[in-house]
Short mmCIF file of all heavy atoms in Angstrom, two decimals:
data_model
loop_
_atom_site.label_atom_id
_atom_site.label_comp_id
_atom_site.label_asym_id
_atom_site.label_seq_id
_atom_site.Cartn_x
_atom_site.Cartn_y
_atom_site.Cartn_z
N VAL A 1 -115.59 106.98 193.60
CA VAL A 1 -114.66 106.14 192.82
C VAL A 1 -113.83 107.01 191.87
O VAL A 1 -112.61 106.85 191.78
CB VAL A 1 -115.44 105.05 192.05
CG1 VAL A 1 -114.55 104.37 191.01
CG2 VAL A 1 -116.01 104.02 193.02
N GLU A 2 -114.47 107.94 191.19
CA GLU A 2 -113.75 108.80 190.26
C GLU A 2 -112.74 109.68 190.99
O GLU A 2 -111.59 109.85 190.54
CB GLU A 2 -114.74 109.67 189.49
CG GLU A 2 -114.08 110.68 188.55
CD GLU A 2 -113.18 110.05 187.50
OE1 GLU A 2 -113.41 108.88 187.12
OE2 GLU A 2 -112.23 110.73 187.05
N ILE A 3 -113.12 110.24 192.13
CA ILE A 3 -112.21 111.10 192.89
C ILE A 3 -111.01 110.29 193.39
O ILE A 3 -109.86 110.75 193.30
CB ILE A 3 -112.95 111.77 194.06
CG1 ILE A 3 -113.96 112.79 193.52
CG2 ILE A 3 -111.97 112.45 195.01
CD1 ILE A 3 -114.96 113.28 194.56
N CYS A 4 -111.25 109.09 193.91
CA CYS A 4 -110.14 108.25 194.37
C CYS A 4 -109.14 108.01 193.26
O CYS A 4 -107.92 108.15 193.46
CB CYS A 4 -110.67 106.91 194.89
SG CYS A 4 -111.40 106.97 196.54
N ARG A 5 -109.61 107.68 192.10
CA ARG A 5 -108.69 107.37 191.00
C ARG A 5 -107.91 108.61 190.56
O ARG A 5 -106.73 108.51 190.18
CB ARG A 5 -109.47 106.75 189.84
CG ARG A 5 -109.89 105.30 190.16
CD ARG A 5 -110.77 104.69 189.12
NE ARG A 5 -110.99 103.26 189.42
CZ ARG A 5 -112.04 102.57 189.00
NH1 ARG A 5 -112.99 103.16 188.27
NH2 ARG A 5 -112.16 101.30 189.31
N ARG A 6 -108.52 109.77 190.63
CA ARG A 6 -107.79 111.00 190.30
C ARG A 6 -106.70 111.27 191.34
O ARG A 6 -105.59 111.67 191.00
CB ARG A 6 -108.75 112.18 190.21
CG ARG A 6 -109.70 112.12 189.02
CD ARG A 6 -110.45 113.45 188.88
NE ARG A 6 -111.52 113.35 187.90
CZ ARG A 6 -112.24 114.39 187.49
NH1 ARG A 6 -112.01 115.59 187.99
NH2 ARG A 6 -113.20 114.23 186.60
N VAL A 7 -107.03 111.06 192.61
CA VAL A 7 -106.04 111.28 193.67
C VAL A 7 -104.86 110.34 193.48
O VAL A 7 -103.70 110.75 193.60
CB VAL A 7 -106.69 111.08 195.06
CG1 VAL A 7 -105.62 111.07 196.15
CG2 VAL A 7 -107.70 112.19 195.34
N TRP A 8 -105.13 109.06 193.20
CA TRP A 8 -104.04 108.09 193.05
C TRP A 8 -103.16 108.40 191.83
O TRP A 8 -101.99 108.06 191.82
CB TRP A 8 -104.60 106.68 192.93
CG TRP A 8 -105.36 106.26 194.15
CD1 TRP A 8 -105.16 106.68 195.43
CD2 TRP A 8 -106.46 105.34 194.19
NE1 TRP A 8 -106.07 106.08 196.28
CE2 TRP A 8 -106.88 105.26 195.55
CE3 TRP A 8 -107.14 104.58 193.24
CZ2 TRP A 8 -107.94 104.45 195.96
CZ3 TRP A 8 -108.19 103.78 193.64
CH2 TRP A 8 -108.58 103.71 194.99
N ARG A 9 -103.75 109.07 190.83
CA ARG A 9 -102.94 109.49 189.66
C ARG A 9 -102.19 110.79 189.94
O ARG A 9 -101.49 111.28 189.07
CB ARG A 9 -103.85 109.66 188.44
CG ARG A 9 -104.46 108.38 187.93
CD ARG A 9 -105.07 108.56 186.54
NE ARG A 9 -106.17 109.50 186.52
CZ ARG A 9 -107.46 109.16 186.57
NH1 ARG A 9 -107.79 107.88 186.70
NH2 ARG A 9 -108.42 110.07 186.54
N ARG A 10 -102.36 111.32 191.13
CA ARG A 10 -101.72 112.56 191.58
C ARG A 10 -102.09 113.74 190.69
O ARG A 10 -101.28 114.62 190.41
CB ARG A 10 -100.20 112.40 191.67
CG ARG A 10 -99.75 111.38 192.68
CD ARG A 10 -98.25 111.40 192.91
NE ARG A 10 -97.85 112.57 193.69
CZ ARG A 10 -96.96 113.45 193.27
NH1 ARG A 10 -96.41 113.35 192.08
NH2 ARG A 10 -96.62 114.47 194.03
N GLU A 11 -103.35 113.76 190.27
CA GLU A 11 -103.84 114.92 189.55
C GLU A 11 -104.09 116.05 190.54
O GLU A 11 -104.47 115.82 191.69
CB GLU A 11 -105.14 114.58 188.82
CG GLU A 11 -105.01 113.52 187.75
CD GLU A 11 -106.33 113.23 187.06
OE1 GLU A 11 -107.31 113.97 187.30
OE2 GLU A 11 -106.39 112.25 186.28
N THR A 12 -103.89 117.28 190.09
CA THR A 12 -104.35 118.41 190.87
C THR A 12 -105.87 118.35 190.87
O THR A 12 -106.51 118.42 189.83
CB THR A 12 -103.85 119.73 190.27
OG1 THR A 12 -102.42 119.71 190.27
CG2 THR A 12 -104.35 120.91 191.08
N LEU A 13 -106.44 118.21 192.07
CA LEU A 13 -107.84 117.79 192.16
C LEU A 13 -108.80 118.97 192.03
O LEU A 13 -108.85 119.85 192.89
CB LEU A 13 -108.08 117.06 193.48
CG LEU A 13 -109.46 116.39 193.61
CD1 LEU A 13 -109.66 115.34 192.52
CD2 LEU A 13 -109.61 115.75 194.98
N VAL A 14 -109.53 118.94 190.93
CA VAL A 14 -110.67 119.84 190.72
C VAL A 14 -111.81 118.95 190.28
O VAL A 14 -111.72 118.29 189.24
CB VAL A 14 -110.37 120.92 189.67
CG1 VAL A 14 -111.62 121.77 189.43
CG2 VAL A 14 -109.20 121.80 190.10
N PHE A 15 -112.87 118.92 191.08
CA PHE A 15 -113.98 118.02 190.78
C PHE A 15 -115.30 118.75 191.01
O PHE A 15 -115.52 119.31 192.09
CB PHE A 15 -113.92 116.77 191.68
CG PHE A 15 -114.93 115.72 191.32
CD1 PHE A 15 -114.67 114.78 190.34
CD2 PHE A 15 -116.16 115.68 191.97
CE1 PHE A 15 -115.61 113.82 190.01
CE2 PHE A 15 -117.11 114.72 191.65
CZ PHE A 15 -116.83 113.78 190.67
N GLU A 16 -116.15 118.71 190.01
CA GLU A 16 -117.46 119.33 190.13
C GLU A 16 -118.52 118.29 189.80
O GLU A 16 -118.86 118.06 188.64
CB GLU A 16 -117.58 120.54 189.19
CG GLU A 16 -116.63 121.67 189.54
CD GLU A 16 -116.90 122.94 188.75
OE1 GLU A 16 -117.92 122.99 188.04
OE2 GLU A 16 -116.08 123.86 188.86
N GLY A 17 -119.02 117.63 190.83
CA GLY A 17 -120.04 116.62 190.64
C GLY A 17 -121.36 117.06 191.24
O GLY A 17 -121.50 118.17 191.76
N GLU A 18 -122.34 116.16 191.18
CA GLU A 18 -123.64 116.46 191.78
C GLU A 18 -123.56 116.48 193.29
O GLU A 18 -124.27 117.24 193.95
CB GLU A 18 -124.67 115.42 191.33
CG GLU A 18 -124.99 115.44 189.84
CD GLU A 18 -126.01 114.37 189.49
OE1 GLU A 18 -126.63 113.81 190.42
OE2 GLU A 18 -126.19 114.09 188.29
N ARG A 19 -122.69 115.64 193.88
CA ARG A 19 -122.63 115.48 195.33
C ARG A 19 -121.36 116.05 195.95
O ARG A 19 -121.37 116.38 197.13
CB ARG A 19 -122.76 113.99 195.68
CG ARG A 19 -124.08 113.38 195.21
CD ARG A 19 -125.24 113.95 195.97
NE ARG A 19 -126.50 113.76 195.25
CZ ARG A 19 -127.68 114.14 195.72
NH1 ARG A 19 -127.75 114.74 196.91
NH2 ARG A 19 -128.77 113.95 195.01
N TYR A 20 -120.29 116.11 195.19
CA TYR A 20 -119.02 116.58 195.73
C TYR A 20 -118.45 117.68 194.84
O TYR A 20 -118.43 117.54 193.61
CB TYR A 20 -118.01 115.43 195.84
CG TYR A 20 -118.48 114.34 196.78
CD1 TYR A 20 -118.99 113.14 196.29
CD2 TYR A 20 -118.40 114.49 198.17
CE1 TYR A 20 -119.42 112.13 197.14
CE2 TYR A 20 -118.82 113.49 199.03
CZ TYR A 20 -119.34 112.32 198.52
OH TYR A 20 -119.76 111.34 199.36
N ARG A 21 -118.02 118.78 195.48
CA ARG A 21 -117.33 119.87 194.80
C ARG A 21 -115.99 120.08 195.49
O ARG A 21 -115.93 120.37 196.69
CB ARG A 21 -118.16 121.16 194.88
CG ARG A 21 -119.53 121.08 194.20
CD ARG A 21 -119.44 121.22 192.69
NE ARG A 21 -118.81 122.49 192.29
CZ ARG A 21 -119.46 123.65 192.23
NH1 ARG A 21 -120.75 123.72 192.57
NH2 ARG A 21 -118.83 124.74 191.84
N ILE A 22 -114.92 119.93 194.72
CA ILE A 22 -113.57 120.06 195.27
C ILE A 22 -112.75 120.93 194.31
O ILE A 22 -112.67 120.60 193.12
CB ILE A 22 -112.89 118.69 195.43
CG1 ILE A 22 -113.76 117.75 196.29
CG2 ILE A 22 -111.52 118.84 196.05
CD1 ILE A 22 -113.25 116.32 196.33
N PRO A 23 -112.15 122.04 194.79
CA PRO A 23 -112.26 122.62 196.13
C PRO A 23 -113.70 123.09 196.43
O PRO A 23 -114.51 123.27 195.52
CB PRO A 23 -111.31 123.82 196.07
CG PRO A 23 -110.39 123.54 194.94
CD PRO A 23 -111.22 122.78 193.94
N LEU A 24 -113.95 123.32 197.71
CA LEU A 24 -115.26 123.81 198.10
C LEU A 24 -115.50 125.19 197.49
O LEU A 24 -114.63 126.07 197.57
CB LEU A 24 -115.32 123.89 199.63
CG LEU A 24 -116.73 124.03 200.24
CD1 LEU A 24 -117.53 122.75 200.04
CD2 LEU A 24 -116.61 124.34 201.73
N PRO A 25 -116.66 125.44 196.88
CA PRO A 25 -116.93 126.75 196.29
C PRO A 25 -116.90 127.86 197.34
O PRO A 25 -117.23 127.63 198.51
CB PRO A 25 -118.34 126.58 195.70
CG PRO A 25 -118.53 125.12 195.55
CD PRO A 25 -117.75 124.48 196.66
N PRO A 26 -116.51 129.08 196.94
CA PRO A 26 -116.40 130.19 197.90
C PRO A 26 -117.68 130.46 198.66
O PRO A 26 -117.64 130.84 199.83
CB PRO A 26 -116.02 131.38 197.01
CG PRO A 26 -115.32 130.76 195.84
CD PRO A 26 -116.02 129.45 195.61
N ASP A 27 -118.86 130.25 198.00
CA ASP A 27 -120.12 130.56 198.69
C ASP A 27 -120.49 129.51 199.72
O ASP A 27 -121.48 129.65 200.43
CB ASP A 27 -121.25 130.73 197.67
CG ASP A 27 -121.52 129.47 196.86
OD1 ASP A 27 -120.70 128.51 196.94
OD2 ASP A 27 -122.53 129.42 196.15
N ARG A 28 -119.70 128.44 199.86
CA ARG A 28 -119.96 127.40 200.85
C ARG A 28 -118.86 127.31 201.90
O ARG A 28 -118.84 126.38 202.70
CB ARG A 28 -120.14 126.05 200.15
CG ARG A 28 -121.41 125.98 199.30
CD ARG A 28 -121.46 124.73 198.45
NE ARG A 28 -121.28 123.52 199.22
CZ ARG A 28 -121.07 122.31 198.68
NH1 ARG A 28 -121.01 122.18 197.35
NH2 ARG A 28 -120.92 121.25 199.44
N GLY A 29 -117.94 128.23 201.87
CA GLY A 29 -116.84 128.20 202.84
C GLY A 29 -116.16 129.54 202.92
O GLY A 29 -116.78 130.59 202.69
N THR A 30 -114.87 129.54 203.19
CA THR A 30 -114.12 130.79 203.33
C THR A 30 -113.69 131.37 201.99
O THR A 30 -113.29 132.53 201.92
CB THR A 30 -112.85 130.55 204.17
OG1 THR A 30 -111.98 129.64 203.46
CG2 THR A 30 -113.20 129.98 205.53
N GLY A 31 -113.72 130.54 200.96
CA GLY A 31 -113.21 130.98 199.66
C GLY A 31 -111.71 130.81 199.54
O GLY A 31 -111.11 131.22 198.52
N LEU A 32 -111.06 130.21 200.53
CA LEU A 32 -109.61 130.07 200.53
C LEU A 32 -109.14 128.70 200.04
O LEU A 32 -107.93 128.46 199.95
CB LEU A 32 -109.07 130.32 201.94
CG LEU A 32 -109.33 131.71 202.52
CD1 LEU A 32 -108.84 131.78 203.95
CD2 LEU A 32 -108.67 132.78 201.66
N GLY A 33 -110.07 127.80 199.74
CA GLY A 33 -109.67 126.49 199.28
C GLY A 33 -108.93 126.57 197.96
O GLY A 33 -109.27 127.35 197.08
N LYS A 34 -107.90 125.74 197.78
CA LYS A 34 -107.12 125.74 196.55
C LYS A 34 -106.94 124.31 196.06
O LYS A 34 -106.87 123.37 196.87
CB LYS A 34 -105.76 126.40 196.75
CG LYS A 34 -104.89 125.74 197.80
CD LYS A 34 -103.54 126.43 197.97
CE LYS A 34 -102.67 126.22 196.75
NZ LYS A 34 -101.31 126.78 196.96
N PRO A 35 -106.87 124.10 194.76
CA PRO A 35 -106.66 122.75 194.23
C PRO A 35 -105.30 122.21 194.67
O PRO A 35 -104.29 122.90 194.59
CB PRO A 35 -106.72 122.94 192.72
CG PRO A 35 -107.46 124.22 192.51
CD PRO A 35 -107.08 125.09 193.68
N LEU A 36 -105.31 120.95 195.13
CA LEU A 36 -104.09 120.29 195.60
C LEU A 36 -104.00 118.90 194.98
O LEU A 36 -104.97 118.38 194.45
CB LEU A 36 -104.11 120.17 197.12
CG LEU A 36 -104.15 121.47 197.93
CD1 LEU A 36 -104.42 121.17 199.40
CD2 LEU A 36 -102.87 122.26 197.76
N LYS A 37 -102.82 118.32 195.08
CA LYS A 37 -102.65 116.92 194.69
C LYS A 37 -101.95 116.18 195.82
O LYS A 37 -101.31 116.80 196.69
CB LYS A 37 -101.88 116.79 193.39
CG LYS A 37 -100.42 117.21 193.46
CD LYS A 37 -99.76 117.00 192.10
CE LYS A 37 -98.29 117.44 192.12
NZ LYS A 37 -97.67 117.25 190.79
N LEU A 38 -102.07 114.88 195.83
CA LEU A 38 -101.48 114.06 196.87
C LEU A 38 -99.97 114.29 196.93
O LEU A 38 -99.28 114.24 195.91
CB LEU A 38 -101.79 112.58 196.60
CG LEU A 38 -101.41 111.58 197.69
CD1 LEU A 38 -102.27 111.78 198.93
CD2 LEU A 38 -101.56 110.16 197.17
N ILE A 39 -99.45 114.54 198.12
CA ILE A 39 -98.01 114.79 198.28
C ILE A 39 -97.20 113.55 197.91
O ILE A 39 -96.22 113.62 197.16
CB ILE A 39 -97.71 115.22 199.73
CG1 ILE A 39 -98.32 116.60 200.02
CG2 ILE A 39 -96.20 115.25 199.98
CD1 ILE A 39 -98.20 117.03 201.47
N ASN A 40 -97.59 112.42 198.46
CA ASN A 40 -96.84 111.18 198.24
C ASN A 40 -97.13 110.60 196.86
O ASN A 40 -98.19 110.82 196.29
CB ASN A 40 -97.20 110.14 199.30
CG ASN A 40 -97.16 110.70 200.69
OD1 ASN A 40 -98.15 111.27 201.14
ND2 ASN A 40 -96.04 110.56 201.36
#
């Protein structure tokens, strides 16, 4: 719910929760993820 509301406000999305981390941390992926916001 919190992430959805941030996306709809067109915030540059950085979220660090217990269950979701956005962008994905480097140790869990390629390390190339970057904060983005909804284009529209």
